[in-house]
Amino acid sequence: LTYGHFNLHDTSLVNRTFVTPPREGDTEKISYASYCEQQGMTLLSAAPLSMGILTPQGPPEWHPASADLKEACRSVVQLCQEHQLDVTFLATVFALAEPRIPCTILGMKDIAEIQAAQRAAQRIEDATESTHQTDDQCMDTNDSHPSLRRLKAVLTDTEYLVTKQILDPTNGPFAKVWSTASNSDGESQFYKDWDGIAAVRDFWKQLPDVNVTEWQ
């Protein structure tokens, strides 16, 4: 189970590569998703809305994301509203459409959210049943983000264009956030390195009368 590493602002689960667990002479770099598949491990991905930051109401006060990331997500919400799109639905469909992740876990607090999740899942199922396009046919040669490649069969034209704008690494709302993230080889990445445990620990350390030790 991995939490918050496949969503509109962070696709590191499938797009970030690393050297596989060290064995002498190993140099192969693969994604975490590919490594799990190689090892026969079922991959579960949670928090496609990134703990509420990809919603119209925004994240809870304790959310550990940086100020830049919060501001970028507010821009995404505004962009969706300008095109009469539901950012929550778009973010959910984006996550569910990734074939390399066999299971996405959603948090739902009421019947309306359950029904919205069902509509997103139905969109994926309908697209899967109705399209016979190959990967090459689904791919836009102008796509700069690898997760856009299979979305054309799933999204409406407006949803696709807005998603493409969101994921634009140069001019999109996350461009500033992503510009600070790169791997050891300087390779551009479509994610923001985020040590969630360290961020939560730092948050609690800032509160008065809270004793947080390093192991926590």
Side-chain angles (χ1 to χ4, degrees), residues 70-80 173:
K70 290 178 180 178
E71 179 60 32
C73 288
R74 284 192 289 270
S75 297
V76 169
V77 171
Q78 181 178 356
L79 178 63
C80 288

Side-chain angles (χ1 to χ4, degrees), residues 117-212:
Q118 191 276 330
R119 288 195 297 273
Q122 190 66 53
R123 175 77 74 84
I124 305 301
E125 183 177 350
D126 290 346
T128 301
E129 292 177 350
S130 64
T131 183
H132 298 286
Q133 291 176 304
T134 66
D135 284 351
D136 289 340
Q137 290 173 321
C138 291
M139 188 183 300
D140 185 336
T141 56
N142 295 317
D143 286 347
S144 56
H145 192 291
S147 292
L148 274 171
R149 293 171 184 168
R150 293 183 178 88
L151 283 172
K152 278 197 165 183
V154 176
L155 301 177
T156 66
D157 289 345
T158 300
E159 290 169 346
Y160 180 80
L161 291 174
V162 169
T163 302
K164 190 172 182 178
Q165 186 173 344
I166 291 170
L167 299 179
D168 186 333
T170 304
N171 300 307
F174 296 122
K176 180 180 179 181
V177 176
W178 289 335
S179 68
T180 63
S182 63
N183 65 13
S184 59
D185 298 324
E187 180 183 354
S188 177
Q189 298 291 316
F190 296 101
Y191 68 92
K192 168 63 178 173
D193 271 337
W194 177 22
D195 185 341
I197 294 176
V200 171
R201 184 189 301 121
D202 290 342
F203 171 82
W204 285 108
K205 282 182 175 180
Q206 295 172 12
L207 298 181
D209 304 319
V210 175
N211 183 23
V212 179

